[in-house]
Amino acid sequence: MLRTRSTIQRHPDRDARERAAPILAEGHVAHVGFVDDGQPFVIPLGYQFNPAEPDRLYLHGSPASRALQHLASGAPVCITVTLLDGLVYSRTALYHSMNYRSVVCFGRGRQVTDPEVQQRVYKGMVSRYFPGRTAGKDYSEPTSAHLEATTLIEVEIEEWSAKAREGGPAGPQDADPQAPGTCGVVPL
Ligand SMILES: Cc1cc2nc3c(=O)[nH]c(=O)nc-3n(C[C@H](O)[C@H](O)[C@H](O)COP(=O)(O)OP(=O)(O)OC[C@H]3O[C@@H](n4cnc5c(N)ncnc54)[C@H](O)[C@@H]3O)c2cc1C
């Protein structure tokens, strides 16, 4: 099989590529990785993702942000979003684990300066983080000064992978209730 940078090699049975969009739509924090002058950085940021536009993801922040300035230059970026679903404990130390859904995206950024796109993205982002909040009723939309004071980066997603673990512990003694020790899942 041809291996690309997004081919899951460890536990291919956990490949969840078809769930990448819903995972990104549910997540809250993007860990944004890039290399600046030879130094890798991974910075946590809020983000916007709309499953109707699955080839792009948005980041925003202060124009002074080093991360956003770097991404505006078109530099390559790797963005990871993780949903932690449970802590898995086993009768065997080696088999302690976690239930999760995660996505790794590879792409490149560019700055968005069109106020219509900015307004649309910010409105969608408020709705995604705070379902039910209505622009004009619960909050006022950004003014042109607010838009100018915020950098919006569109990341074109070139490639992604998704991985998920579900279920209980998989240790050699976990299916035997008579075995010593305890096992189970702490849902989160
Ligand atoms: C959950 C969460 C959501 C966030 N959402 C946003 C967002 O949507 N937009 C936004 O602009 N910022 C957000 N932040 C803050 C963001 O992580 C950065 O601190 C900020 O964007 C400044 O980035 P910078 O590249 O200019 O950092 P710089 O100040 O240039 O970074 C210099 C160094 O400071 C350290 N550093 C920077 N940020 C952090 C951090 N968060 N934690 C620990 N050390 C750090 C690192 O060592 C880094 O190399 C969020 C933070 C968290 C934890």
Side-chain angles (χ1 to χ4, degrees):
M1 189 174 94
L2 181 67
R3 280 185 183 174
T4 70
R5 60 187 169 172
S6 66
T7 302
I8 291 182
Q9 296 179 48
R10 283 280 304 135
H11 273 297
D13 52 301
R14 295 180 184 168
D15 192 325
R17 187 177 294 263
E18 75 289 351
R19 287 155 70 186
I23 294 169
L24 289 176
E26 191 176 331
H28 290 104
V29 181
H31 284 94
V32 178
F34 55 91
V35 176
D36 188 6
D37 202 17
Q39 170 65 54
F41 294 92
V42 179
I43 300 291
L45 295 174
Y47 69 98
Q48 171 57 357
F49 176 81
N50 178 355
E53 300 175 310
D55 58 345
R56 64 202 68 184
L57 181 151
Y58 293 91
L59 306 168
H60 80 306
S62 162
S65 163
R66 186 257 310 275
L68 297 183
Q69 285 176 4
H70 186 72
L71 297 188
S73 73
V77 60
C78 179
I79 299 176
T80 297
V81 170
T82 304
L83 307 178
L84 192 54
D85 294 321
L87 301 176
V88 181
Y89 57 104
S90 166
R91 290 186 165 88
T92 308
L94 179 67
Y95 287 85
H96 286 75
S97 187
M98 295 187 206
N99 283 339
Y100 62 86
R101 289 166 287 154
S102 52
V103 178
V104 174
C105 303
F106 299 94
R108 283 177 190 274
R110 72 170 186 93
Q111 186 167 355
V112 176
T113 52
D114 180 340
E116 277 184 29
V117 179
Q118 292 172 325
Q119 290 284 12
R120 179 171 56 77
V121 171
Y122 294 140
K123 202 169 170 176
M125 191 169 180
V126 171
S127 298
R128 194 174 74 82
Y129 277 85
F130 307 95
R133 281 181 70 74
T134 306
K137 176 171 158 259
D138 295 310
Y139 68 95
S140 58
E141 294 196 60
T143 62
S144 51
H146 293 161
L147 295 180
E148 278 165 27
T150 310
T151 294
L152 180 64
I153 301 292
E154 179 182 84
V155 175
E156 184 187 341
I157 302 173
E158 298 163 350
E159 208 172 318
W160 66 20
S161 56
K163 198 169 171 182
R165 187 200 188 278
E166 295 164 324
Q173 302 216 286
D174 291 332
D176 177 4
Q178 306 306 322
T182 55
C183 67
V185 178
V186 181
L188 296 176

